[in-house]
Amino acid sequence: MLILKLTVAVIAVALVAGRPRSMPVALAVLSLAVTECGPGAIGPALRSVGPAVAFLWAVMRLALLAERSGLAERLAAALLAAGRGSAMRLFCWLCAACALLTAALSLDGAVVVMAPVLLALRRRGLPQRPLLLGTVAVANAFSAALPAGNPTNLVVMNRLGLEPGEFVARMGAPALLATLVCIAAVVLLERRALSGTYELGKRPAFASGQRLPALLLGAAALADWLSPLFGLSPWLPVTLIALLAGRGLTLGSLPLRVGAQVAGLLLALEALPSVSLPAGSLPALLAIAGLTALVSGLANNLPASAAVAAAMGPGAGPYAALLGLSAGALVTPHGSVATIASLELAKAPTPARWLRTWVPAATVAVAAGTALVWLRVP
């Protein structure tokens, strides 16, 4: 029986890795997992995946409204003005904006809002690859710093009984260090593209039609921040806010495809036997972070978080696992919902040399962040 479960898990991961943007493959993975686990497992899987899919739908709706109103074009113009003609300076401001959006709207919300901005910058002649890589790097790695940065963080907080302030105190610096390592890797690899200059265009004025999208995005960010304080998951208030965006906003199949894909992987991975993860020493923490990073990269960090949740205990282990789930998800283009959404919504093919870029960068980032966790958490 164990061999069959392992076979199903390997097939599911291989299918998603080979065709991460295919709806038929996502449905096939879900069907395969349901066949193995039985219909009774569908309910728990949907309860785990449903909030993430609803949140993705909501922020996609708000981002589409922002793009249609010209708000994304205005943000792109603001970044261009801040860069003052230097591609490297623009890249730094873009990373800062993405970190701010990740703090406000979580990693999924950040990349969805940034996708139309990347399209606007590409229309201005800016290099797409380094800006896309920087957006993906910051959204994933920095998501471990704040409670609402990633839905996985809320699971860990509830499990360990942590307050938001305590979580930030323990994870803020390690996640920031991992983020800076990933940004440095992009700068090093894309230094030629980032050494160029660009012409400053005219900055568009703030139009009356942009007020509603700006207010809705601000309300969604406020709801995302306040929800953990009231013991709520952010997906519900953010979804209700997105319903105010009006009609005629066609989102395509991305939310449903991601839901089917992640639910299938979740069922396939949860069918495997759980393994206890002892922690305490630095080598043990590095092993935990490396294992979760590997599972996140091969499958997806959302089902990976469910797979390792049962093995989390007190101490620094859960924090090392969070670093592996966030920065480790960069290793493959399907490692996180945020990466999948950024590539698709920015209408970008998977950049060449993805593994060569992120395997060493994510390894250093996870190791450095884990070492800092070991020093800070008793």
Side-chain angles (χ1 to χ4, degrees), residues 194-212:
L194 293 175
S195 64
T197 59
Y198 58 88
E199 295 291 333
L200 288 174
K202 184 179 179 180
R203 189 168 180 173
F206 192 83
S208 59
Q210 296 170 0
R211 292 174 185 170
L212 177 60

Side-chain angles (χ1 to χ4, degrees), residues 16 18 42 100 126 129 137 147 156 206 222 237 250 263 267 289 303 306 314 328 334 338:
V16 172
I42 297 178
L100 180 62
L126 275 298
R129 176 183 162 89
V156 173
F206 192 83
L222 185 62
T250 304
L267 290 174
H334 60 272

